[in-house]
């Protein structure tokens, strides 16, 4: 799991494995790049921009709540599916957002040197200091813009990154298959391979007439994105390069040996025992 800002350091390895893009094609702050077509959908899903009119593709289980909100006993769009024939038929979703990463910046050298030994030894003091430093850095980064920013710890607090984002607040439901197709197999199928469902739904991002984020309104227009993912109809071949780009949240790939030992010998056995007991009761 690599931060997009670090891809230049492994560009040669990626291209040797079959990647036909450059690191700049994937992450650039000077021009449209792959990152500008990858969306944080709602609170924790990934979506992809697939048209020049703001159309985005995400999972059915990510759009599930929005589809449910538009379903009634008389018109069960979750059960029957939904397809907007025109843009006027697209359904608004109050509170649903679509967020783009504008840029990421390593700010470790503005935080770690200020965590002195006496502060580092007190968890609350360290947390308070990091929060204050992060707030200052974030406010400086977005002064005079409509962007948002946050400083997040990476590598278990050994590095810190400023993440500047742009959040759109008018996201409308365009289409979804019936739940019998989109949610077939339930959550088990969501985490297994091969998969047996069509776990997708379609939404469209709307912006104000000036192209900037705006509250839902009739005057809003489909977003003109900085980048669009081209969709190939050629299929895939054995050995084709593949990668995942999105918002997985976190990784345990860089755990220390002590942490791995804890997971293997303490936490996982406890989880297994707890769930076995629960299943026994059921």
């Amino acid at each position: 799991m690599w931060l997009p800002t670090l891809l230049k350091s492994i560009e040669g390895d990626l291209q040797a494995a079959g990647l036909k893009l450059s690191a700049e094609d994937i992450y650039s702050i000077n021009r449209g790049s792959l990152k500008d077509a990858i969306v944080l959908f709602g609170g924790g899903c990934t979506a992809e921009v697939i048209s020049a009119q703001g159309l985005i593709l995400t999972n059915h289980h990510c759009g599930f709540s929005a589809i449910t909100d538009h379903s009634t006993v008389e018109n069960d769009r979750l059960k029957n599916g939904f397809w907007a024939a025109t843009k006027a038929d697209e359904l608004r979703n109050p509170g649903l957002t679509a967020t783009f990463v504008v840029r990421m910046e390593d700010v470790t050298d503005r935080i770690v040197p200020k965590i002195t030994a006496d502060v580092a030894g007190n968890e609350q003091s360290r947390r308070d200091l990091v929060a204050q430093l992060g707030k200052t850095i974030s406010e400086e980064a977005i002064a005079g813009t409509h962007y948002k920013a946050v400083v997040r710890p990476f590598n278990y607090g050994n590095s810190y990154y400023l993440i500047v984002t742009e959040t759109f607040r008018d996201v409308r439901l365009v289409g979804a298959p019936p739940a019998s197709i989109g949610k077939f197999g339930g959550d088990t199928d969501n985490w297994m391979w091969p998969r047996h469902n069509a776990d997708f739904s379609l939404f469209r991002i709307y912006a104000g007439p000036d192209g900037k984020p705006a509250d839902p309104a009739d005057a809003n227009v489909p977003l003109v994105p900085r980048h669009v993912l081209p969709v190939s109809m050629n299929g895939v071949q054995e050995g084709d390069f593949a990668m995942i780009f999105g918002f997985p949240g976190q990784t345990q790939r860089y755990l220390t040996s002590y942490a791995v030992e804890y997971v293997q010998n303490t936490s996982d056995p406890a989880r297994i025992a707890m769930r076995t007991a629960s299943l026994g009761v059921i």
Side-chain angles (χ1 to χ4, degrees):
M1 185 179 290
W2 291 84
L3 293 175
T5 53
L6 302 177
L7 292 179
K8 189 67 178 178
S9 65
I10 58 167
E11 183 178 59
D13 294 330
L14 291 171
Q15 292 179 342
L19 176 66
K20 297 180 180 179
L21 304 174
S22 68
E24 181 78 4
D25 291 331
I26 299 173
Y27 175 87
S28 175
I29 59 174
N30 299 314
R31 60 179 176 82
S33 58
L34 199 64
K35 77 167 176 63
D36 299 308
I38 306 300
V39 183
L40 175 60
F41 182 83
C45 277
T46 301
E48 306 82 37
V49 181
I50 58 171
S51 89
Q53 295 189 341
L55 194 66
I56 59 175
L57 180 68
T58 190
N59 296 92
H60 183 273
H61 69 262
C62 291
F64 189 85
S65 294
I67 304 166
T68 302
D69 288 344
H70 291 295
S71 297
T72 63
V73 173
E74 296 77 21
N75 187 7
D76 194 338
R77 293 182 168 112
L78 184 63
K79 177 182 178 181
N80 301 321
F82 169 75
W83 302 101
T86 68
K87 291 186 178 67
D89 297 321
E90 296 171 2
L91 304 175
R92 296 181 188 177
N93 303 279
L96 182 59
T97 58
T99 299
F100 293 88
V101 172
V102 177
R103 65 185 176 91
M104 298 179 69
E105 179 183 338
D106 188 344
V107 294
T108 305
D109 59 354
R110 296 184 62 182
I111 293 180
V112 171
K114 296 183 179 180
I115 304 175
T116 57
D118 57 322
V119 172
N122 185 306
E123 183 62 30
Q124 188 59 53
S125 296
R126 177 189 174 109
R127 190 180 296 116
D128 291 343
L129 175 62
V130 169
Q132 184 55 52
L133 293 171
K135 183 173 184 291
T136 300
I137 294 170
S138 298
E139 289 175 350
E140 289 177 359
I142 61 173
T145 75
H146 65 278
Y147 296 143
K148 297 179 181 179
V150 66
V151 171
R152 292 284 189 228
F154 285 78
N155 303 321
Y156 301 96
N158 290 303
S159 58
Y160 290 85
Y161 279 81
L162 167 72
I163 306 172
V164 179
T165 58
E166 183 177 35
T167 298
F168 290 86
R169 304 183 296 277
D170 191 349
V171 182
R172 306 181 191 181
L173 176 62
V174 175
S180 58
I181 298 174
K183 198 172 171 58
F184 179 81
D187 287 337
T188 299
D189 194 71
N190 187 33
W191 307 112
M192 304 294 286
W193 186 263
R195 300 188 64 187
H196 305 284
N197 62 6
D199 182 7
F200 76 94
S201 54
L202 290 165
F203 291 78
R204 193 185 309 276
I205 303 172
Y206 282 76
D210 59 357
K212 295 180 179 179
D215 291 331
D218 292 341
N220 290 348
V221 296
L223 173 70
V224 178
R226 286 184 284 265
H227 188 71
V228 175
L229 293 187
V231 179
S232 172
M233 301 303 291
N234 297 328
V236 294
Q237 305 298 323
E238 186 74 25
D240 279 355
F241 181 87
M243 69 178 184
I244 296 170
F245 193 177
F247 298 90
Q250 61 187 13
T251 179
Q252 292 182 320
R253 291 187 181 186
Y254 306 117
L255 289 179
T256 64
S257 61
Y258 301 100
V260 172
E261 182 180 15
Y262 173 79
V263 171
Q264 185 174 352
N265 298 323
T266 304
S267 66
D268 273 2
R271 289 170 183 261
I272 293 169
M274 179 187 69
R275 293 172 182 175
T276 300
S278 297
L279 287 171
V281 172
I282 292 171

